Amino acid sequence: MFVTSYGGTACIDRGPLVRRAQNKRIFITSTMSRILNLIKVKLRSDPGTYRGFAQLPLRTICCTARRQTDDSDASSVLGKRWKETAETVIIGGGCVGVSVAYHLAKGGMKDVVLLEKSELTAGSTWHAAGLTTYYHPGINLKKVHYDSIKLYETLEAETGQAVGFHQPGSVRIASTAARVDEMRYQMTRTHWHATEQYLIGPEEVQELFPLVNVDKVLAGLYTPGDGHIDPYSLTMALAAGARMHGAQIYNPAPVTSLTPTADGGWDVQTPHGTIRANRIVNTAGFWAREVGQMIGFEHPTIPVHHQYVVTATVPEVKALKKELAVIRDLEGSYYLRQERDGLLFGPYEKMEKMVLQDSWVRDGVPPGFGKELFESDLDRIMEHVEMAMDMVPVLKKADIINIVCGPITYTPDLLPMVGPHQGARNYWTAIGFGYGVIHAGGIGRFLSDWIRNGEPPYDLIECDPNRYGAWTDVPFACAKARESYGFNNVVGYPKEERFAGRPTARARGLHQLLRDRASMGFHAGWEQPHWFYKPGDDIGPSFRRTNWFEPVGRECRLVMEKVGVIDLTPFGKFIVKGRDSHKLLDRLFANTLPKVGRTNISHMLTPSGRVYAEVTVTQLTPGEFMLITGSGSELHDLRWIETEAAEGGYDVGISNVTDDVGVLGIAGPNSRRVLQKLTDDDLSESGFKFLHCKTVKLAGTTVRAIRISYTGELGWELYMDQRDMAAVYKAMMEAGKDEGIDDFGTYAMSSLRLEKGFRGWGAEMNCDTNPLEAGLDYFIKLNKPADFIGKAALQEIKAKGLRRKLSYISVDTDNIDPEGNETVWHNGEVVGNTTSGAYSYSSRRSLAFAYLPVELCSVGQKVEVELLGRKYPASVIQEPLVLTEPTRTRLQRKAEGKA
């Protein structure tokens, strides 16, 4: 690849020339776009006067349009119809912000205002490469991509503004066997979605991209309809559409401060005045941290330098009869697409080479930065350039005419932060987009639907801004952003852990004791054992049964036959008490509330009757409740509870005690004997019944014990001060020596819960499902007097009847087991999807839950489950496969009574 000259100076000077060229191009594009829009507007508003406008010389048109647009901008920003109130104020005018404005206004919301500090697209949007793809490994992020592309296909016709959308398709290239497995793994999760996607061979890859060195290719993942779009034109078209539907866009209008109001709204201050808003949406891109800091949040968004290279005309490209598909060479870690008659090539450097703009995190974004670029560095990407030249040999002779190096923002896990934020009423975010162009359309629709309807249109908890908390400090965020960027295209194995930035400040309790003996999983800042090593156990990821398969079986047998201990500290834990606590929780939960000293499983539902959360509820004292939820949904659930409490005017106190309280689980037939050695309290069957709660002294420590176990075996959960965990753990392990006590992790717990037919939140139930189809009828009390959220919707759903139900299936596999989200087939047709799966060590078979049409839910029904490209026979079976300990005990007593 050669460097050419541009304007008399070598383009590879990596600095001012590239910036000047880019800014000049954007300025011209911006100006002409505004001119054309003005002409269209004037022709529509006053066709008699402006009918001959387009016949004037270009110089006259430019002067007139520039003068009139400048006057228009000044008047609108400095006084013309400046709105003092708004339903929603959106802060940030990149492609995501204008998409939110467009969808809200089009959805019928009045008084939508977007505030942009300088000009639309300033930030990451204007210099983006503009790639669009249906592909995403996440299940519901596929929906976001789908909605984006479907919008972009129709936006020009709706707004009359060109968007520069190209759809030649794309191919993800596999050049290793592991990569082919990864593609098969993803294909099993695609067939039950609307998106077309195909696993193709080298010859088909070459048909789509004739310039590829096919000797390097084993397979390709082909997605028709993929391509690229001009980010600037897209943003302007969305802005035009937003205005068409009544939204107001003000720029330049920087937000200088944000002040919450007593009624849950916001005063949004700008140099031009204050707007009183019912809600605000932070879509400020790499300024998002500064917007968040105005109200006390430190959003973990980190600016990263991303480079791409544009070549001059390549004769072989110019000679093609149709546009090249976009390719992503995953081993080379780059994307490559056609740019006019040349090529555009964008790599993702490895961790040790990529660059963070950490000074912005420390000191803020420099004032006035908007459409500037960073110093480019071709040396930093030469490894990827060389791999690209091997894969696409014509690159060796191509001349570079441009190197773009601009800021994009990354969150620690590379996913955006989308939705309402816990800790501030009516504050929403849509920030942290490493791929804002493909997310913009779908996220705009998703947020608009949520804001207008009071609940998300589908589950997207992986993008919940509340997955981060106070533990997400700057060193952690920077380390994970570096890791996420550098690992962009590495093989993504199931259950794989990545360790940058770990452990966080949350790693307390048993972490020091267990970290060298266990494979640790990361859960909302916590370190929790997945499984435990023994001498001779290997460590390594795979798409098939792997290193942890036998150890997990060992731990399952431990719990079923003896006694095991598990660290459950990552649970989210809240205390709700006060005069209206019973009233509030009766409104929130579909189950009846437990009596004092009792525990039950309850569900919070959305207004349309879908499952927002599953919570263990215990009434500790009259009017004082302890709520336990999953680690990944701690602040997600807390926000929902706090919002209902505030909007309903309930007199309650809500405390998040997650960081203060440690939790140990003990389970197995010998668990009672172990605990009884450490306490004088009565733990007998009659003295401590199932789903009861007591405060006991355990090894001299005050512990709140609940007779419950997520393994389905005899067990207790023990809640205590974090500082006492190690002492209690050591005492239990010492007391259990003669009982065969040992540790077990979350993988074993998952296998055991599936054997017992326990549903899991986030898998069998979430905001994509209702509790009736999920088989949660036992926990849903439609006849309770309280009008709980979602009650009316569930009554209607029940009256209409269900179209699908959760089924329990056994899968005939070999060295692979279902995990969830795999496609289910019947007679050559896609009929459903699994939700979770595991190997049952008790029955020695693979099990899964799956949603199927009601006509295919009968016991004995034959279906097929797709795993790594192969369809395995499966049957619907009676659940559960293994009875829980309380059920076994009850049946035994019943039999003894009859005898």
Side-chain angles (χ1 to χ4, degrees):
M1 183 177 283
F2 297 100
V3 178
T4 189
S5 63
Y6 186 85
T9 306
C11 191
I12 196 139
D13 77 307
R14 301 175 173 83
L17 179 67
V18 174
R19 288 196 290 271
R20 287 197 299 271
Q22 284 290 329
N23 285 332
K24 183 177 181 181
R25 176 176 67 83
I26 292 298
F27 172 75
I28 293 171
T29 306
S30 174
T31 302
M32 290 305 299
S33 175
R34 292 167 70 187
I35 289 168
L36 292 173
N37 280 338
L38 180 69
I39 293 171
K40 291 176 184 177
V41 170
K42 294 297 186 181
L43 283 170
R44 282 196 292 264
S45 62
D46 192 356
T49 302
Y50 290 93
R51 190 172 302 281
F53 196 66
Q55 307 302 318
L56 296 174
L58 182 59
R59 189 184 192 94
T60 304
I61 294 175
C62 289
C63 292
T64 304
R66 284 286 303 277
R67 183 170 58 252
Q68 293 193 31
T69 53
D70 287 347
D71 292 343
S72 175
D73 282 349
S75 61
S76 63
V77 171
L78 299 178
K80 181 184 175 184
R81 298 186 60 188
W82 177 259
K83 294 180 67 63
E84 295 183 350
T85 61
E87 178 72 17
T88 300
V89 167
I90 300 158
I91 305 169
C95 58
V96 173
V98 293
S99 177
V100 175
Y102 164 82
H103 281 93
L104 282 172
K106 187 175 181 179
M109 179 173 285
K110 307 301 181 185
D111 296 333
V112 176
V113 172
L114 185 145
L115 303 176
E116 163 53 41
K117 72 190 301 290
S118 56
E119 58 181 302
L120 298 185
T121 77
S124 297
T125 298
W126 75 271
H127 62 74
L131 297 180
T132 57
T133 177
Y134 284 111
Y135 174 88
H136 197 282
I139 297 305
N140 278 353
L141 275 162
K142 295 181 195 295
K143 294 182 180 180
V144 172
H145 288 211
Y146 182 88
D147 287 345
S148 289
I149 289 177
K150 291 306 177 187
L151 170 64
Y152 301 165
E153 288 175 343
T154 62
L155 194 59
E156 181 175 344
E158 178 186 350
T159 64
Q161 185 150 330
V163 295
F165 194 21
H166 298 246
Q167 293 182 276
S170 76
V171 182
R172 302 171 68 84
I173 291 177
S175 51
T176 67
R179 193 68 73 178
V180 175
D181 270 353
E182 181 185 40
M183 291 181 175
R184 289 177 178 146
Y185 183 82
Q186 293 303 329
M187 283 297 297
T188 68
R189 286 155 174 78
T190 297
H191 285 125
W192 60 281
H193 283 270
T195 302
E196 283 187 89
Q197 186 174 288
Y198 307 97
L199 190 61
I200 61 176
E203 297 80 9
E204 293 167 290
V205 172
Q206 194 164 45
E207 288 179 15
L208 293 162
F209 200 99
L211 307 180
V212 73
N213 178 2
V214 77
D215 295 339
K216 301 280 184 180
V217 178
L218 294 179
L221 200 63
Y222 171 48
T223 313
D226 284 7
H228 54 95
I229 195 167
D230 175 37
Y232 180 88
S233 298
L234 167 65
T235 305
M236 292 305 171
L238 287 167
R243 293 186 185 100
M244 280 171 49
H245 295 293
Q248 295 290 330
I249 297 177
Y250 296 131
N251 66 286
V255 173
T256 54
S257 67
L258 297 166
T259 305
T261 61
D263 62 354
W266 293 90
D267 282 340
V268 183
Q269 286 89 34
T270 79
H272 313 296
T274 298
I275 302 178
R276 173 67 60 90
N278 290 350
R279 74 183 56 78
I280 53 176
V281 186
N282 182 350
T283 62
F286 54 68
W287 290 284
R289 284 181 61 85
E290 296 173 39
V291 173
Q293 286 168 349
M294 293 179 186
I295 54 176
F297 291 118
E298 294 288 341
H299 296 312
T301 56
I302 307 298
V304 173
H305 290 216
H306 180 63
Q307 300 188 94
Y308 62 82
V309 173
V310 182
T311 76
T313 295
V314 176
E316 293 86 346
V317 173
K318 187 174 184 179
L320 294 170
K321 301 299 183 185
K322 65 176 182 178
E323 185 175 357
L324 292 166
V326 178
I327 63 169
R328 292 171 174 84
D329 179 1
L330 304 176
E331 301 309 316
S333 192
Y334 63 84
Y335 55 84
L336 190 149
R337 68 167 175 83
Q338 187 171 336
E339 173 71 1
R340 301 188 181 181
D341 291 331
L343 296 169
L344 185 151
F345 159 79
Y348 294 95
E349 305 99 314
K350 293 181 179 177
M351 287 175 59
E352 61 273 14
K353 289 188 176 182
M354 57 84 64
V355 176
L356 301 180
Q357 193 63 26
D358 47 10
S359 65
W360 289 9
V361 180
R362 188 175 58 248
D363 306 322
V365 182
F369 192 99
K371 288 192 171 178
E372 288 72 38
L373 295 171
F374 297 133
E375 194 83 4
S376 56
D377 185 353
L378 192 60
D379 294 337
R380 210 170 75 219
I381 62 174
M382 278 310 299
E383 176 185 359
H384 306 279
V385 170
E386 290 167 0
M387 296 182 77
M389 289 191 296
D390 285 343
M391 183 65 74
V392 184
V394 297
L395 278 172
K396 296 176 182 178
K397 300 179 292 182
D399 295 337
I400 296 175
I401 61 168
N402 216 344
I403 305 173
V404 176
C405 182
I408 57 174
T409 52
Y410 268 40
T411 61
D413 62 8
L414 188 53
L415 297 176
M417 299 170 62
V418 179
H421 207 291
Q422 188 272 332
R425 289 179 66 188
N426 295 312
Y427 172 63
W428 298 63
T429 64
I431 59 177
F433 291 89
Y435 311 101
V437 171
I438 184 53
H439 284 151
I443 288 296
R445 178 177 178 180
F446 176 85
L447 265 188
S448 170
D449 287 352
W450 191 346
I451 289 170
R452 291 182 298 104
N453 300 327
E455 62 180 283
Y458 50 84
D459 190 83
L460 205 61
I461 194 172
E462 62 265 45
C463 295
D464 188 355
N466 305 298
R467 68 189 186 273
Y468 300 118
W471 54 269
T472 319
D473 57 19
V474 170
F476 172 82
C478 287
K480 295 305 280 189
R482 181 176 293 278
E483 179 186 61
S484 294
Y485 187 89
F487 282 17
N488 239 300
N489 290 315
V490 301
V491 175
Y493 289 101
K495 293 182 168 63
E496 184 180 19
E497 291 291 320
R498 294 178 179 172
F499 296 96
R502 294 168 55 182
T504 73
R506 268 192 159 177
R508 292 171 281 167
L510 300 185
H511 180 247
Q512 293 293 329
L513 287 172
L514 304 181
R515 64 180 183 178
D516 294 329
R517 297 191 285 118
S519 173
M520 289 289 184
F522 188 74
H523 301 270
W526 302 99
E527 299 285 340
Q528 184 177 31
H530 281 168
W531 60 279
F532 286 82
Y533 311 137
K534 296 292 183 185
D537 291 339
D538 295 324
I539 302 172
S542 173
F543 290 99
R544 296 169 176 82
R545 288 177 186 164
T546 186
N547 55 306
W548 51 262
F549 182 77
E550 291 301 332
V552 170
R554 182 172 63 221
E555 293 172 18
C556 287
R557 289 188 290 273
L558 169 76
V559 174
M560 294 293 290
E561 299 169 8
K562 297 178 182 178
V563 56
V565 177
I566 184 171
D567 183 1
L568 298 173
T569 299
F571 283 161
K573 316 164 197 86
F574 319 130
I575 300 294
V576 179
K577 60 183 178 180
R579 187 180 65 185
D580 291 338
S581 60
H582 198 286
K583 186 178 178 182
L584 168 65
L585 298 183
D586 224 11
R587 168 69 175 159
L588 284 168
F589 292 117
N591 203 348
T592 54
L593 296 180
K595 298 176 181 178
V596 174
R598 303 285 184 89
T599 296
N600 71 16
I601 306 297
S602 297
H603 298 84
M604 294 192 292
L605 308 181
T606 70
S608 67
R610 292 176 294 165
V611 184
Y612 189 84
E614 181 178 75
V615 181
T616 302
V617 181
T618 304
Q619 189 167 186
L620 303 175
T621 62
E624 180 183 7
F625 295 85
M626 180 171 69
L627 312 182
I628 307 299
T629 188
S631 59
S633 53
E634 173 196 346
L635 300 182
H636 168 272
D637 295 358
L638 182 60
R639 186 206 64 82
W640 188 265
I641 296 167
E642 289 175 338
T643 299
E644 181 62 25
E647 294 182 353
Y650 294 95
D651 182 6
V652 295
I654 303 170
S655 303
N656 184 1
V657 297
T658 300
D659 285 340
D660 303 322
V661 178
V663 189
L664 289 172
I666 182 169
N670 298 344
S671 59
R672 178 181 281 116
R673 288 200 292 271
V674 172
L675 290 182
Q676 196 66 78
K677 293 178 184 180
L678 301 173
T679 184
D680 294 330
D681 290 278
D682 183 6
L683 303 183
S684 67
E685 186 65 34
S686 59
F688 202 150
K689 295 181 179 179
F690 182 57
L691 294 180
H692 280 228
C693 173
K694 281 186 177 184
T695 298
V696 301
K697 280 284 187 180
L698 203 66
T701 300
T702 301
V703 172
R704 183 171 284 137
I706 301 177
R707 171 92 186 278
I708 191 173
S709 172
Y710 287 101
T711 67
E713 295 304 301
L714 175 66
W716 283 262
E717 287 175 8
L718 310 172
Y719 294 80
M720 67 203 76
D721 191 298
Q722 277 270 8
R723 295 168 293 187
D724 295 329
M725 280 192 73
V728 173
Y729 170 81
K730 290 176 181 177
M732 287 199 302
M733 299 306 282
E734 181 65 27
K737 282 183 178 179
D738 294 340
E739 314 298 337
I741 198 168
D742 209 342
D743 299 291
F744 72 102
T746 57
Y747 288 0
M749 185 168 69
S750 294
S751 174
L752 292 166
R753 73 98 177 162
L754 200 66
E755 290 179 343
K756 308 303 193 303
F758 292 176
R759 276 80 170 143
W761 189 89
E764 284 68 56
M765 52 180 135
N766 55 25
C767 284
D768 293 329
T769 60
N770 70 65
L772 303 182
E773 65 186 5
L776 298 172
D777 308 56
Y778 176 81
F779 304 101
I780 307 300
K781 303 301 191 276
L782 286 173
N783 60 349
K784 83 170 189 175
D787 183 22
F788 62 84
I789 297 171
K791 183 177 184 179
L794 277 191
Q795 290 170 332
E796 185 176 348
I797 290 169
K798 186 174 182 179
K800 289 182 177 179
L802 300 175
R803 291 183 296 177
R804 66 169 192 167
K805 289 181 67 177
L806 191 69
S807 297
Y808 197 54
I809 61 177
S810 173
V811 188
D812 297 330
T813 63
D814 38 42
N815 68 337
I816 184 172
D817 300 295
E819 296 175 345
N821 297 315
E822 295 97 353
T823 301
V824 181
W825 298 78
H826 177 63
N827 290 339
E829 300 290 333
V830 174
V831 293
N833 63 280
T834 63
T835 54
S836 61
Y839 185 76
S840 165
Y841 295 90
S842 299
S843 62
R844 298 183 181 180
R845 64 169 102 174
S846 286
L847 298 176
F849 276 119
Y851 275 105
L852 299 174
V854 290
E855 62 270 19
L856 297 180
C857 291
S858 301
V859 172
Q861 175 67 55
K862 303 296 183 183
V863 292
E864 294 175 304
V865 175
E866 183 181 351
L867 302 170
L868 283 186
R870 176 180 165 188
K871 297 174 184 175
Y872 289 86
S875 301
V876 177
I877 61 174
Q878 184 68 46
E879 63 173 294
L881 195 62
V882 179
L883 295 176
T884 64
E885 177 272 332
T887 302
R888 297 198 303 266
T889 300
R890 186 172 64 251
L891 292 175
Q892 182 180 351
R893 286 180 175 174
K894 187 176 181 180
E896 290 172 352
K898 288 181 178 180

